[in-house]
């Protein structure tokens, strides 16, 4: 899911205050809720949690390189889609068979991981255009996101 990738990117690149990045991830998730037709707030909550979790993980990890980005986003997407499945079950939605639900979660997380490096590159290009100094531009181009 694209909002989850953006939430992870916002969490990784949050400089300074995490509240601003989390609020932005919440808005992106809410827009994803509106476009996907899911209950309002479900994807918004998940995106906010992914943003905060990504920030905490990126304090210890250098998220750089296509394979690592895909793996990092796969892990967060798997957790996010699992949380969405649990929340759907909690609000009375049909969970379906456990095997079918597990295959859907893993497939969705894998599809999200496949598009993640491309979306990260797109976000980096946008960040480069807003960088103030040449040093910041080079650091962003090299993949040093935060």
């Amino acid at each position: 899911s694209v909002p989850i990738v953006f939430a992870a990117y916002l969490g990784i690149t949050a400089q300074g205050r995490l509240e601003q990045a989390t609020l932005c991830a919440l808005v992106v998730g809410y827009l994803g809720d509106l476009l996907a037709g899911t209950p309002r707030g479900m994807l918004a909550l998940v995106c906010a949690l992914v943003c905060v979790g990504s920030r905490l993980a990126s304090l210890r990890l250098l998220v750089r390189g296509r394979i690592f980005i895909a793996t990092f986003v796969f892990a967060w997407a798997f957790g996010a889609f699992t949380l969405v499945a649990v929340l759907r079950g909690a609000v009375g939605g049909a969970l379906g068979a456990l095997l079918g639900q597990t295959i859907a979660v893993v497939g969705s997380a894998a599809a999200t991981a496949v598009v993640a490096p491309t979306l990260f590159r797109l976000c980096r290009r946008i960040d480069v255009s807003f960088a103030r100094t040449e040093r910041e531009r080079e650091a962003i181009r090299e993949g040093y996101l935060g």
Side-chain angles (χ1 to χ4, degrees):
S1 172
V2 175
I4 292 172
V5 176
F6 285 133
Y9 184 82
L10 288 169
I12 292 168
T13 59
Q15 296 175 358
R17 298 181 60 149
L18 182 60
E19 298 88 21
Q20 295 170 345
T22 306
L23 180 64
C24 189
L26 193 73
V27 169
V28 166
Y30 186 76
L31 290 174
D33 281 331
L34 294 177
L35 292 174
T38 58
R40 279 186 246 147
M42 184 180 297
L43 190 57
L45 171 69
V46 169
C47 284
L49 292 174
V50 166
C51 180
V52 172
S54 294
R55 180 62 186 159
L56 294 176
S58 70
L59 292 175
R60 293 284 189 188
L61 300 172
L62 178 61
V63 182
R64 189 168 175 222
R66 294 172 82 63
I67 301 294
F68 190 75
I69 288 172
T71 306
F72 184 80
V73 170
F74 177 81
W76 282 109
F78 181 79
F81 290 129
T82 303
L83 181 60
V84 166
V86 169
L87 288 175
R88 280 188 185 150
V91 296
L95 256 176
L98 183 62
L99 180 62
Q101 191 70 20
T102 304
I103 290 171
V105 165
V106 171
S108 298
T112 302
V114 166
V115 300
T118 305
L119 289 175
F120 267 54
R121 182 172 293 189
L122 175 70
C123 290
R124 259 188 271 146
R125 282 190 179 198
I126 294 169
D127 282 347
V128 164
S129 67
F130 287 105
R132 288 174 271 160
T133 64
E134 188 60 35
R135 184 176 182 187
E136 284 180 7
R137 283 186 202 95
E138 281 302 313
I140 293 170
R141 279 189 197 115
E142 291 294 319
Y144 295 106
L145 302 169

